Amino acid sequence: MVGVVAYPKANRKACKSFDDFDISYKAKPGSLPTFLLVDRGDCFFTKKAWNAQNAGVAAILVADDKDEPLITMDTPEESGRADYLENITIASALITKSFGDRLRKAVDSGHMVNVNLDWRESLPHPDERVEYEFWTNSNDECGPKCDSQIDFVKSFKGPAQILEKKGYTQFTPHYITWYCPEAFTLSKQCKSQCINHGRYCAPDPEQDFSKGYDGKDVVVQNLRQVCVYKVAKENKKPWLWWDYVTDFAIRCPMKEKKYTKECADGVIKSLGLDHKAIDKCIGDPNADEENPVLKAEQDAQIGKGARGDVTILPTLVINNRQYRGKLDKGAVLKALCAGFQETTEPAVCLSEDIQTNECLENNGGCWHDKATNISACKDTFRGRVCECPVVKGVKFVGDGYTHCEASGSGRCEINNGGCWKETRNGRTHSACTDGGCKCPDGFKGDGVHKCIDVDECKERTACQCKDCKCKNTWGSYECGCGGGLLYMKEHDTCISKDAGARVGWNFLWVVLFGLAAAGIAVYAVYKYRIRSYMDSEIRAIMAQYMPLDNQGEIPSHSHHIEM
């Protein structure tokens, strides 16, 4: 929202109606809206906003009256509640004293001061996860403020749990506690409002020490809710805190006298949490020692960096910045969505009730392929970006505004890679390759818009033999021979079919004769070697039983004895 800053010469704190001062800021046709700068003090912020709205301004800027970290613009307590609260529609913002002084000086000097109010950029958005804290209270007897907290938790539970389960957010609940001055730790007031001997206190819910629940009951229940979160987080289910707080508010209200440990344990059991682990986390509220859980909560209240101290309930801290706005589902969800780095937002941040899809009209001015309905426009919470997409694993490259082209393997699966493609008579040719658009063999052209068939017969690139006959086809050619000749593609020549047959039979006979000769030779060698082997074996056997022809006769010698 862009407007012109105005600083009233009267009613500068806007605590009275501007009609009483005859001042009007209703915009004229064609003029920029007015942002009214007013001083802090004397009345509620809501009263200032209501008077400014009736005067016709589009937004109100309340300048702080002292140098300090900005606090939340809180709604009035029940005693100051007015019917007009629900009817305030203008934007409002609390600004630092130094910035207010600069605006006053510029306006008083007669300068026209334009201001751009952009709450979307008020939060840091460094990455794809948002960290946020919710400072709350388990007390349900504090009037409209407690009612609004409970209503917010009930309505925001669904989105909060979805964001947490899918890892888009990291949520932490916190509870404010006070301590009792040491001089009063033994007083009736401290004993009824504090635990651990005055170290951790909360105001009496009904502001009456003689009836109802005491402040220490609230402190213990706050401690129990912190421990529920810690135990649930240890079990990797931190989102159960939302279930517990919601169910406890419904089942264990103070008005029905059910704000007790027994009722709380029933809720804990129904959620499947370990109540013994939670009791151990709570510790002994009567011990004269520090409770580590509540001590950590007190330390966390102190401001760090740009956050500032947490002093008001409820307080929402998003990416270490205190949220300043209405505590309802839509407003808080918008604030969380503003904390994501652009293009990393979850789907819930891109719904129609959260933002406007700028890609629906003229594709946001980005590149668009009408043939495949692929667009480079990517809707974001802040607007849109023109970024070449990734479709079915195929990445498009280009500037995103005027040109995007599929690249890499698989590019031909998406609109044929933007290349030429045509089908004729059931036959398809494509110019798409992994490296780009190139006409296939048998065609010539740019490969993108057209590829023309090459007439190989006319250009004499095929069928060049004397008797060859060429017929051009789409993307190829056919060669043949006349006069009963046979075309041999390997040699690009024509031969007689009979000659070919004779050559074939002669070749076959040569092969057969060769095989027969080889068989005879093998048989002869085999027969010769077997016969020689048998002769030698027979001779060796016969030599054992009878003399052979080449052996001489052995003479016989007889000895005669004469008597």
Side-chain angles (χ1 to χ4, degrees):
M1 182 186 294
V2 179
V4 179
V5 176
Y7 185 51
K9 294 182 179 180
N11 195 27
R12 289 187 166 180
K13 292 186 177 180
C15 290
K16 297 180 180 180
S17 173
F18 284 94
D19 291 339
D20 298 342
F21 300 89
D22 197 25
I23 297 176
S24 176
Y25 296 101
K26 293 181 179 179
K28 298 179 181 179
S31 64
L32 287 172
T34 300
F35 296 166
L36 187 64
L37 175 66
V38 300
D39 300 332
R40 183 183 176 188
D42 292 353
C43 61
F44 290 118
F45 291 121
T46 50
K47 183 67 173 178
K48 298 175 187 288
W50 179 247
N51 289 333
Q53 179 174 306
N54 290 334
V57 303
I60 181 173
L61 306 177
V62 181
D64 203 351
D65 54 1
K66 57 184 178 181
D67 290 319
E68 62 177 350
L70 291 180
I71 63 172
T72 301
M73 295 177 68
D74 197 26
T75 56
E77 298 294 340
E78 187 173 13
S79 59
R81 187 172 177 83
D83 294 336
Y84 59 75
L85 290 179
E86 303 297 331
N87 298 320
I88 295 177
T89 58
I90 65 171
S92 60
L94 178 66
I95 62 176
T96 61
K97 182 179 183 299
S98 59
F99 184 48
D101 292 341
R102 288 166 54 198
L103 291 178
R104 290 190 198 95
K105 184 177 179 181
V107 173
D108 290 342
S109 299
H111 295 292
M112 180 180 178
V113 182
N114 288 352
V115 170
N116 179 25
L117 299 179
D118 189 354
W119 281 269
R120 297 176 305 175
E121 300 302 325
S122 64
L123 288 169
H125 41 278
D127 51 33
E128 57 189 21
R129 191 183 72 174
V130 171
E131 294 83 22
Y132 71 106
E133 306 168 2
F134 182 44
W135 291 81
T136 183
N137 200 319
S138 63
N139 178 12
D140 61 8
E141 284 288 347
C142 60
K145 184 179 292 186
C146 285
D147 295 338
S148 68
Q149 286 188 70
I150 294 173
D151 290 341
F152 168 71
V153 171
K154 291 178 180 178
S155 64
F156 196 68
K157 182 181 77 169
Q161 290 182 324
I162 291 174
L163 291 171
E164 197 74 10
K165 288 178 181 179
K166 295 187 177 181
Y168 288 113
T169 59
Q170 180 176 295
F171 164 74
T172 307
H174 285 294
Y175 297 81
I176 291 180
T177 61
W178 295 267
Y179 67 91
C180 184
E182 187 174 354
F184 302 98
T185 54
L186 298 178
S187 67
K188 177 181 179 182
Q189 291 80 1
C190 279
K191 287 183 177 180
S192 66
Q193 296 184 89
C194 308
I195 65 172
N196 294 92
H197 288 248
R199 289 179 174 85
Y200 315 106
C201 312
D204 189 280
E206 305 88 1
Q207 300 298 314
D208 189 339
F209 299 112
S210 62
K211 66 177 184 179
Y213 290 96
D214 296 324
K216 64 181 180 182
D217 297 319
V218 176
V219 178
V220 172
Q221 180 54 223
N222 289 347
L223 176 57
R224 181 173 286 105
Q225 293 190 2
V226 175
C227 288
V228 165
Y229 170 77
K230 289 183 174 296
V231 171
K233 186 178 180 181
E234 290 172 358
N235 293 319
K236 302 187 184 304
K237 295 180 179 181
W239 51 84
L240 289 179
W241 178 90
W242 294 92
D243 290 317
Y244 174 79
V245 173
T246 301
D247 292 355
F248 182 82
I250 296 173
R251 297 169 59 180
C252 312
M254 289 182 173
K255 294 178 181 179
E256 298 179 10
K257 307 301 180 182
K258 295 181 179 179
Y259 192 83
T260 63
K261 180 183 185 303
E262 291 73 22
C263 187
D265 286 344
V267 177
I268 291 171
K269 184 178 179 180
S270 67
L271 296 175
L273 292 170
D274 185 356
H275 69 88
K276 292 184 179 180
I278 294 172
D279 288 341
K280 182 179 179 181
C281 172
I282 293 173
D284 183 7
N286 297 316
D288 187 8
E289 60 184 11
E290 287 188 345
N291 182 294
V293 177
L294 291 179
K295 181 63 169 61
E297 291 297 292
Q298 286 184 340
D299 293 341
Q301 290 177 221
I302 301 173
K304 298 175 182 177
R307 191 197 75 179
D309 294 347
V310 179
T311 58
I312 297 177
L313 290 176
T315 293
L316 192 67
V317 179
I318 303 174
N319 283 353
N320 206 37
R321 295 285 179 87
Q322 289 194 29
Y323 164 77
R324 312 182 195 285
K326 190 175 182 181
L327 192 66
D328 68 15
K329 175 183 174 182
V332 171
L333 186 56
K334 286 183 179 180
L336 289 178
C337 292
F340 289 100
Q341 190 178 76
E342 195 165 21
T343 73
T344 67
E345 310 94 334
V348 68
C349 293
L350 304 178
S351 58
E352 293 181 1
D353 55 341
I354 296 297
Q355 56 90 51
T356 301
N357 190 345
E358 297 185 17
C359 294
L360 295 179
E361 185 174 348
N362 196 31
N363 290 287
C366 304
W367 171 86
H368 177 233
D369 183 6
K370 294 182 179 180
T372 57
N373 197 29
I374 296 175
S375 173
C377 186
K378 186 172 184 179
D379 182 35
T380 68
F381 175 74
R382 292 176 176 80
R384 65 95 175 98
V385 294
C386 294
E387 185 180 87
C388 290
V390 176
V391 181
K392 296 181 181 179
V394 179
K395 181 175 178 57
F396 284 71
V397 295
D399 60 12
Y401 292 91
T402 60
H403 175 69
C404 285
E405 181 180 346
S407 65
S409 60
R411 61 185 297 270
C412 298
E413 300 297 326
I414 307 296
N415 194 30
N416 200 50
C419 303
W420 170 88
K421 182 180 181 180
E422 189 175 342
T423 301
R424 291 186 185 179
N425 300 324
R427 192 173 184 182
T428 301
H429 286 287
S430 171
C432 186
T433 65
D434 288 346
C437 299
K438 181 182 179 182
C439 290
D441 292 340
F443 293 89
K444 60 182 179 180
D446 59 12
V448 178
H449 300 98
K450 63 180 180 179
C451 286
I452 302 174
D453 174 50
V454 175
D455 190 340
E456 292 86 357
C457 300
K458 186 176 181 180
E459 296 187 6
R460 304 293 293 174
T461 58
C463 301
Q464 298 184 32
C465 65
K466 179 180 179 182
D467 298 318
C468 289
K469 290 186 177 181
C470 184
K471 178 183 178 183
N472 185 59
T473 61
W474 186 62
S476 185
Y477 62 90
E478 295 178 359
C479 280
C481 300
L485 298 179
L486 179 67
Y487 178 71
M488 298 187 69
K489 185 176 181 180
E490 296 80 4
H491 305 284
D492 191 28
T493 185
C494 293
I495 62 173
S496 172
K497 293 182 179 179
D498 295 337
R502 287 196 298 272
V503 170
W505 278 109
N506 290 337
F507 179 75
L508 180 60
W509 279 114
V510 169
V511 171
L512 292 175
F513 282 130
L515 291 174
I520 293 172
V522 169
Y523 176 75
V525 172
Y526 172 77
K527 185 174 181 181
Y528 172 76
R529 293 193 64 183
I530 290 295
R531 184 170 183 177
S532 299
Y533 175 77
M534 291 297 295
D535 288 345
S536 63
E537 287 295 318
I538 293 172
R539 291 173 63 84
I541 293 171
M542 292 181 66
Q544 297 178 15
Y545 297 97
M546 64 182 65
L548 299 180
D549 294 340
N550 56 356
Q551 292 181 327
E553 292 182 358
I554 300 175
S556 180
H557 300 282
S558 299
H559 297 279
H560 299 278
I561 300 174
E562 292 182 358
M563 304 293 297

